[in-house]
């Protein structure tokens, strides 16, 4: 199976909360990232969490980590049309140069 | 402001042509990466370089080569382009070491091979 799994699509109404989920297989993952890719652009880091943390909040973004289930989620509060993008989950082990990316979740925000 | 630039946003080439994709970063980063991005497949690592003149194969190196003669520049070469290499190509860089430093991505080059 894949190392990092995400659903491919999520559709939400403007103003609602969005929750994008990710599961990973490697329990030795040390760093977990969320990247955002807007149409026609490269990826930009949104936020990250260390594996010894359970939660991280940054303005409208909340990252939750369940280490037991190897499950990571990104919650976007008050989702706006500008949040429409592809969101990539990634994990990296402490001794590696290279993160492993999921396939990306396309978030569609409609009025 | 950190910057990773790629030589072209859009490129159209013919089957069999030799294609060069250039990536330049201005952050003095040691590590540089080339990915291709295809719908439903996410990012797949082609090659990475952890320092000047050093390179390592990624997950899908077949049909590609790379060159890193200077720290700021990492080139991806398609020796003989084929239609199955039509894709979005993304370059990224990050500082050295295996800590959690994020990758910084360029805007991408959308390559079409006819």
């Amino acid at each position: 199976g894949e190392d990092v799994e995400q659903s491919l699509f999520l559709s939400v109404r403007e103003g609602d909360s969005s929750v994008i989920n990710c599961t990973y297989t490697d329990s030795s993952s040390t760093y977990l990232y969320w990247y955002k890719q807007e149409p026609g652009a490269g990826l930009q880091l949104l936020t990250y969490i260390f594996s010894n943390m359970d939660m991280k909040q940054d303005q409208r973004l909340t990252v939750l980590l369940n280490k037991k289930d190897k499950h990571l989620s990104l919650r976007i509060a008050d989702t706006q049309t500008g949040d429409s993008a592809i969101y990539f989950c990634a994990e990296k082990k402490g001794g590696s140069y290279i993160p492993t990316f999921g396939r990306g979740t396309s978030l569609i925000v409609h009025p | 402001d950190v910057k990773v630039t790629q030589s072209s946003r859009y490129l159209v080439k013919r089957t069999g042509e030799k294609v060069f994709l250039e990536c330049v970063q201005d952050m003095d980063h040691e590590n540089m990466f080339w990915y291709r991005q295809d719908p439903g497949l996410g990012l797949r690592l082609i090659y990475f370089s952890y320092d000047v003149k050093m390179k390592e194969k990624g997950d899908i190196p077949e049909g590609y080569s790379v060159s890193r003669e200077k720290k700021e520049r990492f080139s991806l070469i398609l020796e003989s382009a084929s239609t199955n290499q039509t894709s979005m190509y993304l370059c990224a860089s990050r500082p050295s070491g295996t800590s959690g430093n994020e990758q910084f991505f360029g805007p991408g080059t959308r390559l079409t091979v006819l």
Side-chain angles (χ1 to χ4, degrees), chain B:
Chain B
D1 202 15
V2 296
K3 210 118 178 134
V4 179
T5 56
Q6 295 183 228
S7 49
S8 305
R9 294 300 303 272
Y10 300 93
L11 211 50
V12 179
K13 295 292 182 181
R14 296 206 174 275
T15 302
E17 279 192 78
K18 190 168 185 175
V19 182
F20 292 86
L21 303 182
E22 304 283 344
C23 175
V24 177
Q25 50 96 3
D26 66 359
M27 296 164 282
D28 203 36
H29 286 167
E30 284 76 14
N31 301 164
M32 295 187 75
F33 306 79
W34 275 107
Y35 294 91
R36 64 176 282 176
Q37 181 180 12
D38 299 288
L41 297 179
L43 270 67
R44 293 181 290 169
L45 182 66
I46 305 171
Y47 268 96
F48 77 99
S49 168
Y50 51 90
D51 210 338
V52 177
K53 296 192 189 295
M54 309 301 281
K55 61 185 179 186
E56 294 281 343
K57 292 180 180 179
D59 299 318
I60 51 162
E62 297 79 20
Y64 303 94
S65 62
V66 289
S67 172
R68 183 112 182 258
E69 295 297 316
K70 292 186 176 181
K71 192 175 188 180
E72 67 271 17
R73 188 179 296 269
F74 191 34
S75 302
L76 180 70
I77 304 151
L78 288 66
E79 293 289 341
S80 177
S82 64
T83 55
N84 63 12
Q85 292 177 309
T86 291
S87 187
M88 170 72 95
Y89 290 87
L90 292 168
C91 174
S93 73
R94 67 183 289 277
S96 67
T98 55
S99 67
N101 293 324
E102 67 177 284
Q103 288 180 309
F104 293 87
F105 283 83
T109 295
R110 186 165 294 281
L111 172 67
T112 303
V113 183
L114 301 174

